[in-house]
């Protein structure tokens, strides 16, 4: 036993502390932005500025920029400017400019996958109408680290409104490599970009001068950016891909006023069949929801009114999905993944015609109590 | 053997008293050690009756003096044995007889100072051999309770008795220990540790026997089929064998609600894990495997590490050493000086080191939690063994990170499994898994369900 311990200690000390890095010697990168300038990659890295004195007025993040023929080379060049080693193990967001996205996202992703230290879990986003490096320079107020701000707001938007969808590196790579489906990526926009937005002044007010705003999603084709989707198309896309967790659907309940249906649970299933030598995909969209708001005068106690609302909401969902279908028809991208769904069931499938059928079923939850509701109940109390 | 020879000894032994009495022309010498004897009982039970009766020979004394413990002395060896044991020797015409007049040279039965209990008996062993025997016999009133006395120590002549309950104990274990006790050669036995070291051939860091000062625990363990060794002048009794799982149990576990005790034992196991692994895992995560930490935690650690000039491992070893020095000082220091030391320890070494930027606050938390967790075990040897393993894990993690921690874990389990306690597996009843013994392992069941004894210790009388 003693011998084993001695031998182990000797052997282990020969490793020279492989991969050893002290916490205060590394620069933790939270997000990376990639632009193109003079035929070279301009890589900007947002580094978390860990300082002991929390009360100091300095910003929590610093952005370093470096140019290079490749992304890896640019990251290496960055060490000339940053005092600490760049550490990408906690990278949470990658921002790509539109120009580069058009040239190809897939080859950039490939570069990141080959880096050993970088985490495979970061979100890929595209900067719309702005340079990517500017996006990561903006100071945000609620989260001290802007990358965390974008990450959390993407997650909330993803979960509670289905208005966007954040694709992580792993998912992007796996969808890109699959036949008959293309990945989508989240879009970031900047509202009123000013130089002042990169300073701490931006966080001191209740109404920041420059804001980071989430866009909907961008569609790729063969690893290259193709076009942006609108809000309605994005919702349709999320319904088809079974990615809806919660969503609010506004429905017109009479000529003037609206009611809003909150979908709390959604399950999208599909079935592929071959009818008359033609492929047919049937989508079954089953949602459960509640009435979130009701502005009309009809009494909600009547079953007919509720059934009517359900039908209207179903129609609305169909409308969203049809928008998404139209968007796919206009482009070469296969972001809805119909071909893949057919291929999984009929492996002999080869780019033939197919037909989509929708079966939307929304059920409003009728169990529950109404307390202190001013609408829909009879006026019978004084 | 002559009275004159004995008188010569007075030169080197000032407390050796020889009193000459004359009774009817008979010369009577009483010889005793003033320091070992009770002068009241000598006066009342020896000198008074001698004065009141007519005594002509040694036989008269045997008949007429009322004293319970009487020994005939025939040779020089027994004479001195008697004298050193607090007997008073009476000489008439070169014939000797001895009476016990021992003075209790120790503190009376008091509360246990190291193994405190909330509920349960408070009495504890003392330095008095007879008292200690009595405390055990009081609890097991059976003729099966055996005390096998040995005298060990060529100069000190310390009484050591092997205690077991006949019919429950494994005879092989008794024979093994008895054989070793008989062949033990030492000149001086100061403490029970002298005996255990010689009983055990292997020098393990983890303790392979329990030491307790509580007679109720000894009684409990004897009834489980273990063997106890009582050493004269030692308030601790040795219990043999002891397993690793015994150190997460305490005496008063059996005096409390079993469900609560089970939870407490789970906490003790967690404390063991915490005390051994926290510093090592912290070093591994912050210097090698940073990607495993959540981002916010990493930023937090990184902020606290800012400005600290030493590598984490040096920082950890400094803090670990500081704590060990404080702990050692705390056990050695007189009670009155304790408060001043805790102020220096807590304020100066802890807070000031952080404010000076030498140590990061998180490291103080890590070392503190791990050190406090190791103090849950009241056996000092166990705490010290944990300390060494903690350091070993720390070094392994400083070289290769989490990988090193797992190498250490494999070594740790290998070491525990290869150990034996007097022929029993040290990891009983976990490593050779025994379902029956699990009733009193981490989960404690009610006493009426513990109707069978530990199957490793007893084979013949398993049922209670």
């Amino acid at each position: 036993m003693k011998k084993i311990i001695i031998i182990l200690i000797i052997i282990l000390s020969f490793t020279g502390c492989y991969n050893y890095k002290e916490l205060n010697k590394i620069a933790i990168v939270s997000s990376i932005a990639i632009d193109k300038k003079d035929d070279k990659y301009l890589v900007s890295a947002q580094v978390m500025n860990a300082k002991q004195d929390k009360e100091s007025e300095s910003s929590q993040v610093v952005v370093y920029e470096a140019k290079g023929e490749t992304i890896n080379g640019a990251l290496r060049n960055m060490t000339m400017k940053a005092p600490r080693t760049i550490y990408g193990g906690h990278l949470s967001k990658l921002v790509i400019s539109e120009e580069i996205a058009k040239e190809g996202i897939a080859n950039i992703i490939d570069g990141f996958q080959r880096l050993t230290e970088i985490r495979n879990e970061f979100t890929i986003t595209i900067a719309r109408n702005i340079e990517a490096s500017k996006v990561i320079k903006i100071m945000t107020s609620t989260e001290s680290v802007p990358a965390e701000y974008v990450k959390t707001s993407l997650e909330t938007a993803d979960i509670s409104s289905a208005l966007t969808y954040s694709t992580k590196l792993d998912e992007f790579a796996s969808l890109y490599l699959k036949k008959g489906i293309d990945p989508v990526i989240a879009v970031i926009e900047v509202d009123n970009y000013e130089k002042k937005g990169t300073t701490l002044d931006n966080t001191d007010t209740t109404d920041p001068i420059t804001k980071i705003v989430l866009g909907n999603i961008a569609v790729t084709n063969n690893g290259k950016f193709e076009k942006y989707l609108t809000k309605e198309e994005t919702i349709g896309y999320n319904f088809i891909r079974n990615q809806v967790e919660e969503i609010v659907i506004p429905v017109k309940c009479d000529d003037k006023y609206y009611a809003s249906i909150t979908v709390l649970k959604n399950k999208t299933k599909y079935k592929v069949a071959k009818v008359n030598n033609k492929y047919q995909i049937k989508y079954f969209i089953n949602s459960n929801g509640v009435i979130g708001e009701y502005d009309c005068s009809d009494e909600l106690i009547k079953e007919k009114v509720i059934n009517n609302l359900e039908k209207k909401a179903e129609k609305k969902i169909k409308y969203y999905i049809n928008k998404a279908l139209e968007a796919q028809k206009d482009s070469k991208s296969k972001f809805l993944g119909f071909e893949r769904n057919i291929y999984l069931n009929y492996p002999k499938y080869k780019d033939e015609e197919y037909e989509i059928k929708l079966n939307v079923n929304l059920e409003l939850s009728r169990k529950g109590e109404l307390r202190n509701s001013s609408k829909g109940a009879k006026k019978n109390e004084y | 053997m002559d009275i004159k020879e004995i008188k010569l000894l007075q030169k080197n032994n000032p407390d050796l008293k020889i009193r000459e009495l004359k009774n009817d022309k008979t010369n009577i010498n009483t010889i005793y050690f003033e320091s070992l004897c009770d002068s009241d009982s000598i006066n009342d039970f020896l000198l008074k009756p001698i004065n009141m009766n007519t005594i002509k020979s040694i036989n008269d004394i045997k008949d007429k003096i009322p004293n319970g413990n009487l020994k005939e002395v025939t040779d020089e060896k027994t004479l001195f044995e008697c004298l050193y044991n607090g007997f008073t020797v009476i000489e008439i015409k070169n014939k000797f007889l001895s009476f016990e007049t021992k003075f209790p040279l120790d503190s009376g039965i008091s509360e246990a100072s190291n193994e405190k209990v909330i509920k349960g008996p408070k009495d504890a062993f003392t330095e008095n051999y007879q008292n200690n025997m009595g405390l055990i016999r009081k609890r097991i009133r059976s003729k099966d309770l055996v005390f096998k006395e040995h005298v060990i120590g060529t100069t000190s002549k310390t009484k050591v008795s092997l205690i077991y309950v006949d019919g429950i104990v494994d005879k092989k274990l008794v024979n093994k220990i008895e054989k070793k006790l008989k062949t033990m050669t030492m000149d001086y036995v100061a403490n029970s540790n002298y005996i255990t070291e010689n009983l055990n051939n292997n020098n393990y860091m983890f303790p392979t026997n329990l030491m307790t000062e509580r007679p109720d625990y000894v009684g409990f363990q004897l009834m489980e089929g273990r063997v106890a060794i009582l050493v004269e002048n030692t308030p601790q009794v040795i219990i043999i064998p002891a397993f690793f799982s015994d150190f997460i149990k305490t005496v008063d576990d059996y005096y409390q609600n079993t469900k609560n005790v089970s939870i407490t034992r789970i906490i003790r196991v967690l404390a063991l894990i915490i005390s051994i692994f926290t510093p090592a895992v912290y070093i591994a995560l912050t210097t090698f495997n940073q990607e495993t930490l959540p981002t916010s935690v990493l930023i937090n650690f990184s902020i606290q590490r800012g400005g600290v000039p030493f590598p984490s491992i040096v920082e950890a070893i400094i803090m670990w050493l500081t704590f060990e020095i404080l702990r050692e000082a705390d056990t050695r220091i007189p009670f009155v000086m304790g408060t001043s030391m805790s102020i220096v320890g807590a304020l100066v070494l802890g807070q000031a080191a952080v404010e000076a930027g030498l140590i990061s606050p998180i490291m103080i938390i890590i070392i503190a939690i791990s050190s406090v967790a190791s103090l849950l075990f009241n056996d000092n040897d166990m705490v010290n063994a944990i300390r060494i393993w903690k350091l070993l894990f720390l070094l392994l993690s400083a070289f290769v990170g989490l990988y090193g921690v797992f190498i250490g874990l494999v070594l740790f389990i290998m070491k525990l499994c290869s150990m034996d306690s007097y022929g029993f597996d040290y990891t009983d009843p976990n490593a050779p898994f025994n379902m029956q013994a699990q009733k009193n392992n981490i989960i404690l069941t009610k006493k009426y369900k513990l109707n069978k004894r530990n199957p490793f210790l007893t084979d013949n009388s398993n049922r209670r």
Side-chain angles (χ1 to χ4, degrees):
Chain A
M1 191 68 191
K2 263 179 201 163
K3 271 181 201 165
I4 294 173
I5 290 175
I6 290 166
I7 289 169
L8 253 175
I9 287 173
I10 292 169
I11 289 174
L12 289 178
S13 52
F14 282 147
T15 60
C17 302
Y18 163 75
N19 218 6
Y20 167 83
K21 41 192 177 299
E22 206 57 71
L23 263 189
N24 48 358
K25 300 273 155 54
I26 54 172
I28 305 157
V29 176
S30 58
S31 58
I32 287 179
I34 301 168
D35 288 288
K36 200 134 209 195
K37 229 171 209 178
D38 316 327
D39 278 343
K40 276 184 177 178
Y41 285 117
L42 177 71
V43 177
S44 328
Q46 191 187 63
V47 169
M48 296 196 221
N49 183 9
K51 279 204 172 171
Q52 188 151 37
D53 196 7
K54 275 185 176 173
E55 285 154 30
S56 74
E57 286 274 307
S58 73
S59 69
Q60 287 274 306
V61 290
V62 179
V63 175
Y64 295 112
E65 282 182 349
K67 271 188 200 168
E69 285 80 11
T70 58
I71 292 160
N72 246 319
L75 279 172
R76 294 277 165 189
N77 289 343
M78 204 173 283
T79 48
M80 303 293 280
K81 292 176 182 173
R84 295 175 175 185
T85 344
I86 300 290
Y87 172 70
H90 280 261
L91 183 67
S92 68
K93 184 185 66 173
L94 174 71
V95 188
I96 303 170
S97 71
E98 216 179 285
E99 190 192 348
I100 288 192
K102 274 178 189 160
E103 280 178 22
I105 303 163
N107 41 5
I108 288 174
I109 299 304
D110 176 69
F112 275 95
Q113 279 187 318
R114 284 173 202 280
L115 285 171
T116 46
E117 263 181 1
I118 281 181
R119 188 187 268 194
N120 287 355
E121 271 232 324
F122 58 85
T123 312
I124 303 161
T125 57
I126 184 165
R128 190 175 188 179
N129 299 333
I130 196 163
E131 288 155 51
S133 65
K134 280 179 180 170
V135 174
I136 66 168
K137 281 177 191 165
I138 295 165
M139 287 298 296
T140 54
S141 45
T142 42
E143 297 274 342
S144 54
V145 179
E148 288 291 305
Y149 175 87
V150 174
K151 196 182 158 200
T152 45
S153 53
L154 258 174
E155 275 165 11
T156 4
D158 202 350
I159 289 166
S160 63
S161 68
L163 288 177
T164 181
Y165 182 73
S166 62
T167 308
K168 303 260 163 71
L169 176 79
D170 278 358
E171 198 187 339
F172 186 94
S174 74
L175 288 186
Y176 169 69
L177 291 173
K178 275 172 189 157
K179 208 178 160 188
I181 188 162
D182 284 307
V184 298
I185 53 178
V187 179
I188 294 186
E189 289 165 28
V190 172
D191 190 11
N192 184 27
Y193 182 81
E194 270 180 44
K195 189 75 189 160
K196 241 183 167 181
T198 63
T199 62
L200 269 178
D201 290 349
N202 207 33
T203 63
D204 279 350
T205 57
T206 53
D207 183 23
I209 313 148
T210 307
K211 285 179 222 161
I212 294 178
V213 185
L214 295 184
N216 301 115
I217 52 174
V219 174
T220 64
N221 175 26
N222 201 17
K224 286 171 186 162
F225 164 72
E226 189 172 313
K227 67 168 183 179
Y228 298 108
L229 291 191
T230 62
K231 182 185 152 193
E232 286 152 345
E233 288 162 356
T234 309
I235 295 173
Y237 162 80
N238 278 328
F239 266 113
I240 286 286
R241 298 284 304 148
N242 191 18
Q243 286 158 354
V244 175
E245 296 200 24
E246 267 180 42
I247 186 173
V248 174
I249 302 169
V251 169
K252 220 169 187 182
C253 54
D254 56 29
D255 303 335
K256 220 176 164 188
Y257 296 105
Y258 281 88
S260 82
I261 309 288
T262 312
V263 172
L264 295 174
K265 215 166 135 191
N266 179 69
K267 187 95 195 160
T268 306
K269 284 179 187 167
Y270 68 87
K271 241 181 205 170
V272 185
K274 212 172 179 184
V275 185
N276 301 333
N277 265 344
K278 207 176 176 192
Y279 294 101
Q280 192 184 55
I281 315 177
K282 252 190 184 173
Y283 275 92
F284 301 93
I285 294 149
N286 289 314
S287 300
N288 272 320
V290 290
I291 298 170
E293 205 180 325
Y294 191 70
D295 294 351
C296 306
S297 52
D298 286 333
E299 282 172 8
L300 267 179
I301 300 168
K302 288 176 188 163
E303 204 181 343
K304 209 176 122 196
V305 179
I306 290 174
N307 285 341
N308 204 17
L309 275 177
E310 278 175 354
K311 259 176 209 160
K312 277 180 177 165
E314 281 166 11
K315 233 182 197 173
K316 194 84 185 224
I317 293 173
K318 261 186 197 165
Y319 164 77
Y320 288 141
I321 294 170
N322 283 326
K323 278 272 179 190
L325 291 177
E326 276 168 33
Q328 168 151 301
K329 257 176 212 164
D330 294 347
S331 76
K332 286 175 194 162
S333 171
K334 295 164 182 170
F335 62 95
L336 289 174
F338 295 135
E339 283 89 341
R340 176 161 177 78
N341 289 351
I342 301 171
Y343 172 75
L344 286 177
N345 288 283
Y346 295 93
K348 285 178 184 168
Y349 171 76
K350 264 182 196 125
D351 298 328
E352 291 150 52
E353 285 267 304
Y354 55 85
E355 196 183 24
I356 308 290
K357 283 208 166 166
L358 294 175
N359 186 349
V360 182
N361 180 25
L362 185 132
E363 202 172 295
L364 283 177
S365 167
R366 274 161 235 198
K367 279 177 198 166
E369 275 177 67
L370 268 182
R371 276 189 195 150
N372 303 331
S373 171
S374 53
K375 277 274 163 64
K378 267 184 191 169
K379 283 185 182 177
N380 54 4
E381 278 179 35
Y382 287 96
Chain B
M1 202 163 57
D2 203 331
I3 190 73
K4 276 174 193 163
E5 267 176 52
I6 298 166
K7 272 183 181 169
L8 280 177
L9 281 172
Q10 272 181 311
K11 218 179 175 181
N12 289 335
N13 298 291
D15 54 343
L16 180 67
K17 295 285 169 198
I18 298 169
R19 174 87 168 86
E20 280 189 45
L21 285 174
K22 268 200 176 151
N23 184 319
D24 257 9
K25 295 172 189 169
T26 321
N27 268 349
I28 303 169
N29 281 315
T30 41
I31 313 152
Y32 61 95
F33 274 105
E34 201 182 23
S35 54
L36 295 174
C37 294
D38 184 8
S39 56
D40 281 351
S41 60
I42 292 174
N43 286 337
D44 290 353
F45 302 113
L46 283 176
L47 300 183
K48 242 187 210 172
I50 286 171
N51 255 349
M52 281 157 74
N53 296 300
T54 46
I55 287 171
K56 279 178 182 159
S57 70
I58 202 87
N59 283 341
D60 288 343
I61 292 187
K62 229 189 223 173
D63 296 342
K64 285 170 184 171
I65 287 177
N67 192 308
N69 203 341
L70 174 143
K71 248 187 193 172
E72 301 210 26
V73 179
T74 49
D75 55 353
E76 201 171 345
K77 202 182 155 207
T78 39
L79 173 80
F80 284 108
E81 202 174 275
C82 288
L83 279 178
Y84 286 128
N85 275 321
F87 280 71
T88 301
V89 178
I90 291 174
E91 184 260 358
I92 300 170
K93 290 169 191 164
N94 268 352
K95 282 195 172 164
F96 297 87
L97 199 64
S98 70
F99 296 93
E100 202 206 314
T101 51
K102 200 187 274 173
F103 183 71
L105 271 179
D106 30 48
S107 43
I109 297 168
S110 61
E111 251 185 60
S113 54
N114 295 329
E115 295 163 65
K116 291 213 163 102
V117 294
I118 299 163
K119 295 173 189 170
K122 304 258 186 218
D123 53 351
F125 289 123
T126 61
E127 288 79 7
N128 190 318
Y129 181 67
Q130 296 295 335
N131 267 357
N132 292 352
M133 269 175 131
L135 285 172
I136 298 169
R137 205 179 274 291
K138 207 170 85 178
R139 287 180 163 80
I140 304 171
R141 291 184 179 119
S142 163
K143 65 174 176 20
D144 289 337
L145 181 66
V146 180
F147 288 83
K148 281 242 169 115
E149 201 170 283
H150 299 261
V151 176
I152 296 173
T154 45
T155 314
S156 69
K157 304 273 184 218
T158 314
K159 283 181 209 158
V160 173
S161 90
L162 180 68
I163 314 165
Y164 56 88
V165 181
D166 211 12
I168 295 176
V169 79
D170 188 357
K171 275 285 179 199
K172 269 184 258 163
L173 178 67
V174 173
N175 292 339
K176 204 174 176 182
I177 292 170
E178 216 157 25
K179 212 171 151 192
K180 280 197 174 163
L181 283 177
K182 271 177 191 158
T183 54
M184 214 172 266
T185 45
M186 273 184 282
D187 61 337
Y188 179 59
V189 178
N191 190 7
S192 46
N193 201 38
Y194 279 56
I195 305 290
T196 50
E197 257 178 27
N198 280 285
L199 277 179
N200 215 341
N201 295 331
N202 306 308
N203 193 8
Y204 296 132
M205 244 180 296
F206 282 104
T208 49
N209 49 272
L210 292 166
M211 285 236 205
T212 182
E213 49 176 4
R214 302 188 57 85
D216 50 328
Y217 196 43
V218 173
F220 172 80
Q221 296 292 11
L222 287 175
M223 292 308 288
E224 284 288 302
R226 291 184 210 226
V227 168
I229 296 174
L230 175 64
V231 182
E232 201 182 1
N233 302 325
T234 312
Q236 276 96 25
V237 173
I238 309 160
I239 296 167
I240 286 169
F243 307 131
F244 189 70
S245 57
D246 286 325
F247 293 92
I248 62 160
K249 301 169 188 169
T250 60
V251 199
D252 63 341
D253 280 2
Y254 305 100
Y255 309 150
Q256 291 174 32
N257 183 312
T258 49
K259 277 175 190 159
N260 293 342
V261 168
S262 304
I263 293 167
T264 315
R265 283 185 179 174
I266 291 168
I267 291 170
R268 285 195 202 118
V269 172
L270 288 178
L272 177 77
I273 295 167
I274 286 172
S275 67
I276 294 180
F277 290 107
T278 14
V281 170
Y282 171 76
I283 295 286
L285 289 188
T286 55
T287 57
F288 287 91
N289 306 77
Q290 285 104 338
E291 64 279 357
T292 47
L293 286 169
T295 311
S296 48
V297 175
L298 186 76
I299 295 282
N300 196 346
F301 284 180
S302 168
I303 288 170
Q304 295 192 27
R305 279 281 299 154
V308 176
F310 307 115
S312 305
I313 177 70
V314 175
E315 205 187 346
I317 288 173
I318 289 173
M319 277 318 293
W320 172 82
L321 202 60
T322 313
F323 175 80
E324 291 303 333
I325 290 168
L326 275 176
R327 187 167 74 92
E328 187 59 22
D330 203 30
T331 46
R332 306 282 161 244
I333 205 164
F335 180 70
V336 240
M337 282 145 79
T339 37
S340 61
M341 206 198 66
S342 55
I343 289 170
V344 170
L347 293 181
V348 179
L349 291 174
Q351 206 173 332
V354 171
E355 275 172 19
L358 292 174
I359 308 287
S360 60
I362 185 77
M363 185 55 84
I364 296 214
I365 296 172
I366 297 287
I367 297 293
I369 182 75
S370 116
S371 305
V372 169
S374 74
L375 295 179
L376 240 70
F377 306 95
N378 57 12
D379 194 302
N380 201 31
D381 281 332
M382 190 71 184
V383 177
N384 292 346
I386 289 172
R387 169 174 84 181
I388 287 299
W389 275 98
K390 194 197 294 182
L391 191 64
L392 188 70
F393 274 105
L394 202 58
L395 291 175
L396 282 171
S397 77
F399 282 125
V400 274
L402 278 181
Y403 178 55
V405 176
F406 284 101
I407 291 175
L409 186 64
V410 170
L411 282 178
F412 182 64
I413 292 170
M414 254 166 68
K415 177 73 193 168
L416 281 186
C417 292
S418 68
M419 279 173 67
D420 74 296
S421 168
Y422 304 92
F424 295 90
D425 291 323
Y426 194 53
T427 42
D428 274 342
N430 298 322
F433 188 78
N434 190 294
M435 200 57 216
Q436 196 197 318
Q438 298 300 324
K439 282 181 183 172
N440 180 11
N441 195 15
I442 287 170
I443 304 295
L444 180 65
T445 41
K446 292 239 182 239
K447 269 152 217 86
Y448 66 83
K449 281 183 185 162
L450 292 170
N451 51 2
K452 281 182 179 171
R453 293 196 175 85
N454 196 337
F456 303 117
L457 297 166
T458 52
D459 29 42
N460 41 354
S461 69
N462 217 345
R463 190 164 283 279
R464 280 179 205 271

